[in-house]
């Protein structure tokens, strides 16, 4: 097993990508500290293991909570080998000409500042651990408009640069730092951002699943396990020569506009070709 004897910390662990990652790490031998503000979900997740999954409530907008999480994991097990800074939500959805300072700051605290201090408070417990690895969740939204609200995209772009800067800073400790850029993944981030609950949330998830199936060249919606598998690769010795970069796991959605890969989608030159044909007749 790839993670036998390892200690891992995963934030945003109670559902979606975080939950899939916790279960994968634990199944391959790690002791996993699963952190989330969802106490019911986190407790239920921990109950699925024989003690290899430990839940701790953690609000990643609180540096005190982050430090307490990292300190506990290290105190219980002797150190930390893997950190997956994954917690997040859609953030403030307002465009740049309407967003208020509070919404901007709240989004940055949740999606960017939390990653910085997840690294900050984990590193003292990772020094000297062979194969130590930090993985940060960014997004395809980091590469340009059209994938998310403004503040979310800017924060996720910041995560990419923070990943590179941290990899450079931590090279002296032989701690690798990489990121994952998920595409359209079927999780509850969309319904929670829209504040849908109960039956409406389930309806929203079904609608998202239907829409996402044809959104990218790989003809299915992305699943939490797709990201968990990439995380496990970056956390393992299989990626020991991978550092300071990101893996895009998006089914090809960033390849280009839909007409570039879908033969049934009219491209931007179709009208011009039709006009040329008419002229030639």
């Amino acid at each position: 097993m790839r993670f036998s004897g390892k200690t891992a910390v995963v934030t945003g662990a109670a559902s979606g990508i975080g939950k899939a990652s916790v279960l994968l790490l634990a199944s391959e031998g790690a002791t996993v500290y699963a952190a989330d503000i969802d106490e019911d979900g986190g407790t239920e997740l921990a109950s699925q293991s024989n003690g290899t999954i430990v839940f701790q409530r953690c609000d990643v907008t609180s540096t005190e909570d982050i430090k307490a999480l990292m300190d506990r994991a290290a105190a219980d097990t002797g150190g930390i080998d893997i950190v997956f800074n994954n917690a997040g939500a859609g953030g403030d959805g307002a465009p740049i000409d309407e967003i208020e300072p509070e919404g901007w700051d709240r989004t940055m605290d949740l999606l960017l500042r939390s990653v910085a201090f997840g690294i900050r408070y984990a590193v003292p417990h990772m020094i000297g651990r062979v194969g130590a690895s930090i993985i940060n969740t960014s997004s395809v939204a980091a590469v340009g408009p059209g994938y998310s609200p403004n503040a979310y995209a800017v924060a996720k772009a910041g995560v990419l640069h923070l990943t590179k800067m941290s990899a450079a800073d931590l090279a002296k400790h032989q701690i690798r730092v990489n990121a994952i850029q998920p595409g359209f993944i079927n999780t509850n981030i969309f319904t929670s951002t829209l504040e849908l609950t109960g039956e409406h949330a389930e309806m929203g998830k079904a609608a998202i699943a239907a829409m996402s199936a044809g959104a990218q060249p790989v003809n299915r919606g992305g699943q939490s396990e797709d990201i968990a598998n990439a995380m496990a690769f970056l956390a393992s010795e299989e990626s020991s020569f991978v550092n300071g970069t990101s893996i895009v796991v998006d089914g090809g959605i960033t390849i280009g506009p839909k007409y570039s890969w879908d033969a049934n989608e009219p491209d931007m030159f179709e009208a011009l070709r039709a006009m040329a044909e008419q002229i030639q007749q």
Side-chain angles (χ1 to χ4, degrees), residues 49-280:
S49 75
N50 59 354
T52 58
I53 299 173
V54 180
F55 173 67
Q56 175 147 329
R57 189 187 188 282
C58 177
D59 178 351
V60 295
T61 64
S62 163
T63 53
E64 291 82 5
D65 276 15
I66 296 172
K67 186 176 186 301
L69 169 67
M70 301 303 176
D71 288 350
R72 179 188 179 187
D76 288 353
T77 66
I80 299 173
D81 302 285
I82 299 160
V83 173
F84 186 24
N85 290 306
N86 169 70
D92 195 301
I96 194 63
D97 57 331
E98 296 178 11
I99 197 166
E100 297 295 337
E102 295 79 8
W104 180 270
D105 291 346
R106 186 170 59 251
T107 303
M108 295 300 146
D109 285 351
L110 175 61
L111 297 173
L112 180 55
R113 184 173 181 267
S114 66
V115 176
F117 284 93
I119 296 169
R120 162 66 181 87
Y121 290 120
V123 164
H125 305 300
M126 302 181 82
I127 295 172
R129 309 284 283 195
V130 176
S133 178
I134 297 171
I135 304 100
N136 305 319
T137 299
S138 179
S139 170
V140 295
V143 303
Y147 300 105
S148 78
N150 187 303
Y152 179 96
V154 172
K156 291 300 188 179
V159 169
L160 286 186
H161 200 56
L162 173 62
T163 296
K164 288 183 177 294
M165 296 297 293
S166 300
D169 275 353
L170 301 179
K172 60 183 177 288
H173 298 308
Q174 295 297 294
I175 298 172
R176 294 184 299 113
V177 189
N178 292 289
I180 301 172
Q181 292 175 257
F184 206 154
I185 308 300
N186 292 331
T187 71
N188 63 3
I189 188 172
F190 304 104
T191 54
S192 63
T193 300
L194 295 172
E195 298 183 351
L196 300 176
T197 59
E199 182 180 347
H200 293 107
E202 293 306 313
M203 291 171 61
K205 288 179 184 177
I208 290 165
M211 289 187 294
S212 66
Q216 58 278 310
V218 176
N219 194 26
R220 65 171 176 84
Q223 302 301 317
S224 296
E225 289 75 15
D226 294 317
I227 309 305
N229 287 332
M231 176 281 307
F233 168 70
L234 291 173
S236 75
E237 285 301 297
E238 295 168 2
S239 64
S240 61
F241 205 56
V242 179
N243 194 23
T245 189
S246 66
I247 295 179
V248 179
V249 186
D250 70 345
I253 199 170
T254 53
I255 285 174
K258 192 170 184 179
Y259 65 76
S260 69
W261 51 266
D262 186 346
N264 296 316
E265 189 79 7
D267 66 40
M268 61 187 298
F269 299 109
E270 186 169 304
L272 289 175
R273 284 196 297 269
M275 183 185 301
E277 288 175 2
Q278 288 181 347
I279 293 172
Q280 291 170 1

Side-chain angles (χ1 to χ4, degrees), residues 24-43:
L24 178 54
L25 288 164
S27 74
E28 295 206 34
T31 298
V32 187
Y33 284 76
D36 207 294
I37 58 172
D38 178 1
E39 296 188 45
D40 291 340
T43 301

